Amino acid sequence: MVFSSIIFILFFLPLFLGMYYLMPRVARNYVILAFSIIFFAWGAPDFLPYLIASCLVNFYLVRLIPISRTIRWKRVLVGLSVAMNLGLLAYFKYANFFLENLSFLRELAGSPALTWERIILPIGISFFTFQSITYSVDVYRKRHEPLKNPFYYLLYILMFPQLLAGPIIRFERIADQISKREETWENILYGFYRFILGLSKKILIADVLAVEVDRILSLSIPGIDMGSAWIAILAYTFQLYFDFSGYSDMAIGLGRMVGFRFPENFDNPYVAGSVTEFWRRWHITFSNFMRHYLYYPLGGNRVQTKRRLYFNLWLVFLVSGLWHGASWNFVLYGAFHGFFMVLERLFLSKIYHRIGKLLPILITFFVIVISRVFFRIESLPDAVAFIKVLFSFNDLPSLAPVNAHFYAILVLAVLFSFITLSRHGLRLQTWFYERTYSITEHKAMTWLYAILLVLSIASLTGQGFSPFIYFRF
């Protein structure tokens, strides 16, 4: 089940909200938990027992941390908790990758290839692993006391609005909201607005771009001309943004409908003037997680030598790339971004400062577009071959789509992505994301979002299952 589906919009969500607000306040968290279990079991019933069991073990393990008498035992307990969660992630997400590479090395050495039953990746495992780690580490760091109710801990991990693709919510930020939060009509209405905005991004923009991207990239790479290759990768760059930011908008909206305030996950990333700034704007909660739970423990910016600083940056981005997927493509994707982060620390930032505002944005966007090749094309040789096509200067776009609708949506995606570069565009975005409207504005917004909802549902009826891109991570 995905947010952008008829069954969720017309059946699951109304039933959930009806049950939630009909129940007394003391029972509402249990309603969220029950529906979250149903939501997860809908797509991965076989993994649900393992998930619940690991959550309960982690809950009782972390409860021992504050009452441990010595710092040594506290470290042992938090280490066990983190190791257990990372162990589950390593097994389900990276075992196939490890065995594939081991089998390849065996073949090079003249031994027979390995055979094994491939392990299926459970949906959302990366995101609930990270949230489990934030819980353990935040309790260890005394950011917040551990939860006393195991069902509340399950709620924190399994909450369906952000279970499958974030935002990654640090425990210290949401702990108090689990037991006490504000539920108002204004929040409910804002939540609906935000949900429909995200749905529109996904259905009316990302999915339209996806059709042509998939069509071009399904062809043999040597048969793709340079123009079509650029159209495909540019369209994919915007598809990925509107798909993932659309999911985040929907998750934030769903949370707000029941009183939760989830952190923002995107801040106009394509207007970034450097790769460093890009990662402050793209998948913000993931960047914050890597900063607080990996980069800072490594020493962050406080290390004694520049060499160690650059090593820390590169290591963080190698891990970030591998987190996105178990393949060498994603390792290279992370190394590519880390390489530019180091260059910016060495000299690029000084150059950017001298050449104005627009040129650094264009250079950064170009770097991001090239990196998307490794993100989209699963085979490393195919990704390298595709980059060669991008710079082959061979043909005009003979394979380019003739669909006017695609080009209209692509132009719209470009405008929306860069709208905040203008002062009026920034005001317009602020108005759309504003949380308090006058009565007149509420009427206008209600009509606007009603139209967007109807258009999205109408589009959904004419297309098949379309999961969010980040569900596979």
Side-chain angles (χ1 to χ4, degrees):
M1 189 188 304
V2 295
F3 299 159
S4 55
S5 64
I6 295 296
I7 190 171
F8 181 87
I9 297 170
L10 299 184
F11 297 97
F12 185 92
L13 182 57
L15 181 61
F16 163 68
L17 291 174
M19 289 286 291
Y20 181 84
Y21 280 103
L22 284 173
M23 287 290 180
R25 190 175 297 274
V26 69
R28 289 177 179 176
N29 278 343
Y30 297 97
V31 173
I32 302 176
L33 178 58
F35 274 83
S36 296
I37 291 173
I38 294 170
F39 182 85
F40 187 85
W42 193 278
D46 294 339
F47 184 68
L48 185 61
Y50 298 99
L51 173 59
I52 293 178
S54 68
C55 285
L56 292 176
V57 170
N58 198 60
F59 171 78
Y60 287 107
L61 191 63
V62 173
R63 283 196 68 182
L64 297 174
I65 294 176
I67 60 176
S68 297
R69 294 183 178 180
T70 65
I71 189 66
R72 179 183 177 185
W73 273 110
K74 292 178 188 290
R75 289 174 177 171
V76 168
L77 290 169
V78 74
L80 286 172
S81 173
V82 172
M84 180 187 70
N85 286 291
L86 289 180
L88 283 173
L89 181 65
Y91 173 74
F92 283 104
K93 190 167 184 176
Y94 301 107
N96 289 327
F97 178 58
F98 172 77
L99 291 172
E100 285 170 0
N101 284 278
L102 181 59
S103 181
F104 175 73
L105 292 175
R106 282 173 58 89
E107 288 186 273
L108 288 180
S111 301
L114 294 174
T115 58
W116 71 93
E117 186 175 347
R118 297 189 68 83
I119 299 168
I120 298 175
L121 178 67
I123 54 177
I125 187 169
S126 297
F127 291 93
F128 63 68
T129 298
F130 276 15
Q131 293 212 166
S132 298
I133 291 174
T134 73
Y135 178 75
S136 306
V137 175
D138 284 356
V139 170
Y140 169 76
R141 292 175 175 173
K142 299 181 179 180
R143 302 285 189 183
H144 202 282
E145 294 183 355
L147 294 168
K148 298 179 180 179
N149 187 334
F151 293 103
Y152 281 12
Y153 176 70
L154 286 172
L155 173 64
Y156 166 63
I157 299 297
L158 294 174
M159 197 183 307
F160 76 85
Q162 49 79 54
L163 169 65
L164 301 183
I168 300 168
I169 305 174
R170 295 172 62 189
F171 174 64
E172 65 172 307
R173 179 159 186 168
I174 202 174
D176 293 334
Q177 297 182 44
I178 293 175
S179 57
K180 184 180 180 180
R181 56 188 179 272
E182 185 181 12
E183 299 156 334
T184 65
W185 279 108
E186 184 177 275
N187 277 337
I188 295 172
L189 195 57
Y190 175 81
F192 273 115
Y193 290 164
R194 194 69 184 267
F195 178 85
I196 295 171
L197 181 64
L199 179 67
S200 303
K201 284 182 176 181
K202 164 66 175 170
I203 301 301
L204 303 181
I205 296 180
D207 285 357
V208 174
L209 298 178
V211 172
E212 294 298 342
V213 171
D214 293 344
R215 182 184 71 85
I216 295 175
L217 295 183
S218 66
L219 302 170
S220 172
I221 291 178
I224 301 176
D225 56 81
M226 177 182 168
S228 298
W230 275 107
I231 289 172
I233 200 60
L234 282 169
Y236 178 72
T237 299
F238 292 105
Q239 175 202 345
L240 181 63
Y241 171 53
F242 282 92
D243 188 282
F244 194 17
S245 68
Y247 177 91
S248 294
D249 284 335
M250 296 169 82
I252 291 168
L254 289 168
R256 189 64 66 84
M257 290 180 202
V258 291
F260 285 98
R261 292 179 176 267
F262 297 160
E264 295 293 338
N265 215 19
F266 290 88
D267 180 18
N268 304 293
Y270 292 154
V271 302
S274 66
V275 173
T276 302
E277 184 185 355
F278 172 81
W279 281 103
R280 294 194 192 110
R281 294 171 172 269
W282 175 276
H283 203 346
I284 298 170
T285 57
F286 172 71
S287 299
N288 286 339
F289 177 91
M290 298 303 291
R291 186 181 305 114
H292 286 91
Y293 300 95
L294 182 57
Y295 183 63
Y296 289 162
L298 287 171
N301 297 333
R302 301 185 303 275
V303 293
Q304 295 181 348
T305 65
K306 292 288 186 181
R307 181 176 297 179
R308 178 58 190 271
L309 172 63
Y310 302 147
F311 171 80
N312 288 351
L313 283 170
W314 209 317
L315 178 61
V316 167
F317 274 89
L318 283 175
V319 173
S320 300
L322 193 59
W323 174 84
H324 280 89
S327 75
W328 289 110
N329 272 33
F330 289 108
V331 174
L332 190 56
Y333 173 80
F336 186 78
H337 282 267
F339 174 72
F340 278 93
M341 292 279 282
V342 171
L343 287 185
E344 287 169 4
R345 297 277 182 149
L346 287 171
F347 63 89
L348 269 182
S349 293
K350 296 178 181 178
I351 296 176
Y352 289 163
H353 184 71
R354 295 174 181 173
I355 60 177
K357 181 180 179 180
L358 183 59
L359 198 53
I361 291 174
L362 295 176
I363 294 171
T364 302
F365 182 70
F366 176 79
V367 170
I368 299 305
V369 170
I370 298 302
S371 74
R372 295 306 187 209
V373 175
F374 302 106
F375 203 92
R376 174 60 174 80
I377 299 177
E378 296 181 1
S379 165
L380 185 56
D382 286 345
V384 173
F386 188 84
I387 289 178
K388 290 180 180 178
V389 172
L390 288 175
F391 299 97
S392 61
F393 300 98
N394 51 9
D395 298 307
L396 293 174
S398 59
L399 297 173
V402 294
N403 187 347
H405 184 210
F406 166 80
Y407 283 116
I409 294 300
L410 182 57
V411 170
L412 196 65
V414 174
L415 290 175
F416 284 164
S417 298
F418 293 96
I419 194 171
T420 56
L421 288 177
S422 73
R423 184 174 55 188
H424 297 296
L426 184 60
R427 288 178 180 174
L428 181 62
Q429 178 176 280
T430 302
W431 188 78
F432 266 95
Y433 284 88
E434 185 62 51
R435 299 175 186 178
T436 304
Y437 302 105
S438 66
I439 295 178
T440 303
E441 287 175 329
H442 264 306
K443 291 179 179 178
M445 295 292 281
T446 301
W447 276 106
L448 173 62
Y449 283 110
I451 293 170
L452 289 175
L453 178 61
V454 170
L455 289 175
S456 297
I457 292 176
S459 297
L460 278 174
T461 59
Q463 67 183 43
F465 180 68
S466 177
F468 291 89
I469 293 173
Y470 262 72
F471 276 14
R472 64 191 179 102
F473 304 133

